Amino acid sequence: MSFSQRIESLPSTSILTIRRLKNLDIKTYWDLLHYFPFRYEDHSIVSSIQHLQEGEKVTVKGTVVWAKNEFTRRGLKIQKVILADDTGKITLTWYNQPYLIRLLSPGTHLAASGEIKKYGATLTMEPKEYDVLKTIDQETIHTGRLVPIYPEKKGLSSRTLREKIFFILKDYTATDGHAMQEIFPEEIIRFNDLIEESVAYQNIHFPKSKELAKKARQRLAFDELFIIQFAARLVRQEWEKEAVGNRIQTKPYEPQLNAFMRNLPFELTNAQKKVLREILLDIFKKYPMNRFLQGDVGSGKTVVAAIVAYLAFLNRFQTLFMAPTTILAQQHFQTLTYLFKNYPVSIALQTGARKTKHLDKNHIVVGTHALLSQKFLMRNVGFVVIDEQHRFGVRQRALLKAKGINPHLLTMTATPIPRTVALTLYGELDISHLDEMPKGRIPVQTFLVPKEKRRAAYDWITKKVKQESAQVFIVCPLIEQSDHETMQSVKAAKIEYEYLSRKIFPDFKVELLHGKLKTKEKEEIMNNFARGALHILVTTSVVEVGIDIPQATIMIVEGAERFGLAQLHQLRGRIGRSTKQSYCFLFTEKEDPHIVRRLNYFSRNTNGMRIAEYDLEVRGPGEIYGTRQHGYLDLKIATFADYPMIEKTKNAVEYLLKKYKLSAFPALKKRVNEYQIEQVTRD
Ligand code: ADP
Ligand code: MG
């Protein structure tokens, strides 16, 4: 048997179960083995019936002597079974599972786990779990042990998962065990106090003791973090082997560069200067830069990229500047056009709606990420900026290379990536951090508004708009995921828009902006808002990234509890961009103290990194970016909160790379390859 076997070959497994497993992306035995339990139910005490005590949680084993369906007057079906061992009898009851009676006919061997109750002299149990046994000594799956409890998603029960995984592990130990060779050299195992991998897989699912369950979890978490970091390091090594023909020099162009910086409308912050130095060192190297720039909303990433683009221009290279949306691309185009207005740098905007002829004649081309997959002819690209993307995948890099260019890359994001996450997932990148805001920014004041104060908040906003011509973003709740739900989201926004424009703000110009509008319509609405022709913009979370409208000083977020804090932080970054005080109102109908605490934390804090780290602790990594589309963030068993483990695995990766060749460890090599393939198909 092999772990690469497909789940279709699992014995006595219904088509429905197969389908459900596939819905969870479980296709092979190996995948199934990596569906880990999140806790165990302790049914490990097995007791003879004679010694049972009221209130005990135990497993009893015996033979069925009597079994019957009974009906109550209310029509409820009760399954009553009398189980006997050598020492006595116990009555077992289930509810509404009439098929059990057929399964448990007299003579059947049975193990059942649950709490013992006594009615007079009669012992009873409502079993939480049971095993039908061929022989009384047969190994139990659901009883008589620490029983794994799995996340029950897409209609799969723990019981089903347990049976399938039990089968795989059983079958595996019964065969020669070839399928699971140790992946690490002896000293890594010893130094990190790890248990053997095959023991770990057994004990994560069917632990012999709590101690072993813990050790199993540690071992598999170690594996997971190790593989991720190791793969990243390999990518990095490959990257560093690439020779570029486009080293970008600073020295000969220093006078021009300094003049450019002097003529900027502001002085660069120290953080901007520091990051710039890091980049200038990188782009002079023999291999392409692969740098990731993190900086809170408004920290001034664009201008840093623009300075580098200018230097690339001086070196006679072209720059590609990509943003996630057309609106943002447009905005970058405007910003760059403004910054370069006194320089002989030609800039083109290339979007779905606007195509430029003779692109190759331009020094800078701005567009969406779609530029990557477009056929365009630019021979001399030396620098590529990818804005608001968390990860520049292997696949995207390949797209650039397929175009025959191998430029220096700068990926930028305002999403704060906690250190542990960055260390783990971004091992192939160099990371820069703009950890300082331009002077004179006034932090946004944020308020959590419970439903009884909503009216007052609307009134206050009405006054502000009337008296100070403040402009307002109203962000509708995020209803995520499927297309269907996107539509729901749009619908919610429409309803909200109707209500607000008629009932709450009848005197103001209110518009609705959502993701399903045509690009042209979106542009028009954004432009109207930007030039002050609209007071209030009702939107879905499409305003999340990058938009720069300084006069907008008020934001309402509806259903604030639905957003991850890092996302809320990005939303909030749309305001607070002028010299006036800005205000953010978080509306929630929820009174759950956890929700209130989270949102209060957010209201009191303005540092994006701290907010992201807090949310990582409280809600897990999915919340940093929103969900699904960033599936790669979902560690299966390790956690980003476990800094010591991340550190340990990082050291182990470095040790192995230094001391050995990967080819010395075929099992590890195979594992890493599989992980890489998974990554590429996911990107
Ligand atoms: P982000 O990092 O969120 O992309 P931007 O690059 O859009 O931020 O910059 C936000 C605003 O700050 C822009 O209007 C930009 O001109 C301005 N800005 C950038 N750097 C500075 C600075 N050093 N001093 C003052 N304003 C700056
Ligand atoms: Mg930006």
Side-chain angles (χ1 to χ4, degrees), residues 266-269 272 296-302 438 441 548 577:
F266 42 72
E267 162 114 32
L268 293 179
T269 63
Q272 284 170 322
D296 223 332
V297 263
S299 60
K301 295 184 288 295
T302 318
R441 289 279 159 77
D548 191 18
R577 297 181 151 247

Side-chain angles (χ1 to χ4, degrees), residues 224 227-232 235 391-396 424-426 428 629-636 671-683:
E224 182 173 36
I227 300 288
I228 294 172
Q229 296 185 61
F230 195 78
V235 169
R391 185 172 226 214
F392 196 67
V394 173
R395 201 172 62 92
Q396 289 150 306
T424 315
L425 294 176
Y426 297 80
E428 77 269 31
Q629 76 206 78
H630 304 295
Y632 63 83
L633 256 184
D634 298 332
L635 294 176
K636 285 210 171 82
R671 195 76 63 78
V672 173
N673 279 342
E674 281 160 3
Y675 172 77
Q676 285 167 330
I677 291 167
E678 205 181 300
Q679 285 302 295
V680 173
T681 46
R682 231 186 224 173
D683 267 349

Side-chain angles (χ1 to χ4, degrees), residues 301-302 332 387-388 412 546:
K301 295 184 288 295
T302 318
H332 280 318
D387 194 21
E388 298 300 350
M412 311 199 291

Side-chain angles (χ1 to χ4, degrees), residues 32-292:
L32 196 47
L33 219 46
H34 287 87
Y35 197 76
F36 296 119
F38 63 96
R39 66 181 184 90
Y40 307 93
E41 195 75 60
D42 191 349
H43 294 312
S44 58
I45 299 171
V46 183
S47 175
S48 59
I49 293 174
Q50 185 181 29
H51 292 121
L52 293 176
Q53 303 278 337
E54 167 125 51
E56 264 185 315
K57 290 188 180 118
V58 292
T59 299
V60 291
K61 272 185 181 185
T63 308
V64 175
V65 292
W66 182 90
K68 211 167 168 195
N69 270 316
E70 286 183 358
F71 295 84
T72 66
R73 247 176 289 160
R74 288 233 212 89
L76 202 64
K77 275 189 192 169
I78 302 180
Q79 291 72 51
K80 272 213 168 131
V81 169
I82 297 176
L83 189 75
D85 67 6
D86 295 344
T87 68
K89 285 180 186 168
I90 182 170
T91 305
L92 310 177
T93 31
W94 284 269
Y95 296 95
N96 277 330
Q97 299 174 64
Y99 62 90
L100 276 176
I101 294 304
R102 251 175 296 133
L103 205 67
L104 303 179
S105 57
T108 310
H109 302 304
L110 179 71
S113 300
E115 191 179 330
I116 302 300
K117 294 219 173 90
K118 250 181 170 170
Y119 293 100
T122 314
L123 288 165
T124 67
M125 176 197 278
E126 289 171 22
K128 281 188 133 175
E129 297 286 350
Y130 66 91
D131 273 297
V132 177
L133 307 171
K134 287 210 184 72
T135 65
I136 199 83
D137 316 316
Q138 189 190 327
E139 188 180 3
T140 52
I141 301 177
H142 311 286
T143 63
R145 59 162 74 240
L146 288 171
V147 177
I149 309 294
Y150 296 92
E152 302 196 325
K153 292 184 197 157
K154 311 264 177 193
L156 276 167
S157 67
S158 273
R159 193 175 173 85
T160 306
L161 286 158
R162 224 177 272 147
E163 273 166 12
K164 305 306 161 199
I165 293 169
F166 186 85
F167 165 80
I168 293 174
L169 285 166
K170 193 94 201 140
D171 206 32
Y172 156 72
T173 27
T175 56
D176 59 1
H178 236 65
M180 209 184 283
Q181 268 176 14
E182 180 52 59
I183 54 174
F184 296 135
E186 181 55 36
E187 61 274 32
I188 285 188
I189 304 271
R190 226 178 323 115
F191 185 75
N192 295 289
D193 193 22
L194 302 175
I195 60 172
E196 245 177 75
E197 204 177 41
S198 57
V199 178
Y201 279 106
Q202 272 298 343
N203 281 281
I204 193 73
H205 292 292
F206 297 100
K208 295 241 157 43
S209 65
K210 285 186 179 143
E211 184 55 29
L212 266 171
K214 201 171 140 204
K215 286 247 147 212
R217 195 161 284 273
Q218 281 168 359
R219 165 72 213 243
L220 297 174
F222 188 96
D223 284 13
E224 182 173 36
L225 292 170
F226 184 96
I227 300 288
I228 294 172
Q229 296 185 61
F230 195 78
R233 285 299 301 265
L234 292 183
V235 169
R236 192 190 174 103
Q237 280 184 350
E238 284 304 304
W239 192 247
E240 291 181 2
K241 271 189 233 153
E242 302 270 347
V244 275
N246 50 14
R247 297 173 74 168
I248 296 179
Q249 307 189 60
T250 307
K251 199 106 203 131
Y253 306 104
E254 248 168 18
Q256 286 110 305
L257 193 65
N258 288 336
F260 183 75
M261 293 200 276
R262 256 200 323 277
N263 289 329
L264 287 171
F266 42 72
E267 162 114 32
L268 293 179
T269 63
N270 285 328
Q272 284 170 322
K273 288 179 193 162
K274 173 195 71 180
V275 168
L276 198 57
R277 275 195 301 273
E278 288 166 348
I279 295 174
L280 297 188
L281 280 178
D282 268 9
I283 57 181
F284 183 61
K285 288 186 183 145
K286 282 202 281 299
Y287 56 86
M289 171 171 78
N290 197 12
R291 189 167 279 279
F292 179 65

